[in-house]
Amino acid sequence: MSTPSHEVDSSVPHSARVWDYWLGGKENYPADREMGDQIAQVMPSIIDMARHDRGFLRRTVGHMVEKEGIRQFLDIGTGLPTQDNTHEVAQRVAPECKVVYVDNDPLVLAHAHALLTGSPEGVTNYLHADLNDPEGILDGARRTLDLTRPVAVMLLGIVHFIPDLDEARAITGTLMDACPPGSFLAVSHATDAADGEPMRRAVEDWNAGGAKPPLTLRSPEQIATLFEGLEVLEPGVVSTSRWRPDPDPFGEAPLVGHWCALARKAS
């Protein structure tokens, strides 16, 4: 496999930069904003989806640190730095946590210093690599993480960029096979289960517009197969807005177009 390019192509929208735009960030280009606006016109809930995905990260990392004793995180498909990055959530609870971020977008590489300002007791590192090369990711992660001890593998908004489901399952399997019992896998993944046709049209616009990489929607049942052999924690495979949500006086949050789950590798 070729090494990920370190050159930024500002003329073609990229998932990390469009996501940054939806979250109110500033590290994006006109092509990213144009694509983000185009998709939001087709499916206005896309912005809420981005925010609920960030909420899932915050809640699941908090759970793993506070309740499960996890102190090591491998966050693949990091995206551009924003509020409540994995190391910030984890190290607020346990400053000694170690986090390795992985992304293949050169703009993320350029801003990686913002991801490396963790607590002095812990460690944060960045690896410029691609999910299609899980062995390479693991080799790089071993320079920071002790893979004989439990690790949380974070794959938020990234597996849907692997078009073949069997390949996606093989990649997650390779990553989890390298981790010991007591490790966790967290995934969020695009689906049309919440928004139906608007979501399908949004993805068609994304892929037709040359955005990198192309995206594949999957059903909740297909997403569930990514966790085969693992113990899926309650409430199972659900919308990111419904995964152990914070109390809301206005009632249950609406479904959004990312489904998610957290699973444990049993002993």
Side-chain angles (χ1 to χ4, degrees):
M1 176 180 171
S2 60
T3 302
S5 172
H6 288 210
E7 295 182 2
V8 176
D9 184 355
S10 63
S11 67
V12 178
H14 191 284
S15 59
R17 301 193 300 265
V18 175
W19 201 257
D20 174 73
Y21 175 54
W22 286 333
L23 288 172
K26 299 179 180 179
E27 303 302 335
N28 46 74
Y29 296 104
D32 305 307
R33 296 190 286 275
E34 181 179 350
M35 176 60 71
D37 290 341
Q38 179 180 338
I39 292 174
Q41 287 179 356
V42 174
M43 198 180 86
S45 64
I46 198 80
I47 296 173
D48 286 338
M49 186 183 79
R51 293 171 180 168
H52 281 297
D53 206 61
R54 180 59 45 163
F56 171 64
L57 182 152
R58 176 176 51 79
R59 295 192 301 276
T60 192
V61 170
H63 170 81
M64 285 188 284
V65 176
E66 293 182 34
K67 305 298 184 182
E68 307 288 352
I70 294 295
R71 296 295 183 266
Q72 300 189 111
F73 292 84
L74 180 57
D75 186 334
I76 305 172
T78 302
L80 289 157
T82 183
Q83 294 182 343
D84 278 347
N85 300 295
T86 296
H87 75 280
E88 294 170 326
V89 177
Q91 292 176 357
R92 274 201 298 265
V93 179
E96 70 274 18
C97 284
K98 297 180 179 180
V99 179
V100 172
Y101 290 109
V102 182
D103 207 288
N104 68 350
D105 181 6
L107 192 61
V108 178
L109 174 65
H111 290 271
H113 64 276
L115 294 168
L116 305 180
T117 56
S119 67
E121 300 92 338
V123 178
T124 56
N125 276 325
Y126 177 81
L127 180 63
H128 189 70
D130 194 294
L131 180 59
N132 287 286
D133 182 19
E135 293 288 1
I137 289 174
L138 291 166
D139 288 344
R142 288 187 180 96
R143 294 196 289 268
T144 300
L145 305 179
D146 178 359
L147 298 189
T148 68
R149 300 173 63 84
V151 178
V153 177
M154 310 286 292
L155 296 171
L156 306 191
I158 181 69
V159 181
H160 47 229
F161 294 121
I162 306 296
D164 184 80
L165 179 57
D166 288 339
E167 183 179 355
R169 293 173 60 187
I171 288 171
T172 56
T174 296
L175 293 169
M176 295 310 295
D177 285 347
C179 299
S183 296
F184 284 83
L185 174 64
V187 175
S188 68
H189 193 296
T191 179
D192 60 3
D195 298 288
E197 183 59 25
M199 185 63 162
R200 291 189 288 273
R201 287 176 54 202
V203 171
E204 288 174 3
D205 286 350
W206 173 267
N207 293 340
K212 295 182 178 180
L215 190 149
T216 299
L217 293 171
R218 294 191 172 102
S219 68
E221 292 77 17
Q222 290 173 317
I223 296 168
T225 67
L226 299 170
F227 300 95
E228 285 184 358
L230 305 175
E231 175 193 352
V232 179
L233 275 62
E234 292 294 334
V237 180
V238 296
S239 170
T240 53
S241 59
R242 303 279 179 89
W243 197 91
R244 305 190 182 188
D246 298 325
D248 187 340
F250 301 103
E252 193 171 34
L255 298 175
V256 296
H258 266 195
W259 249 237
C260 68
L262 177 66
R264 179 190 293 112
K265 183 174 181 178
S267 55

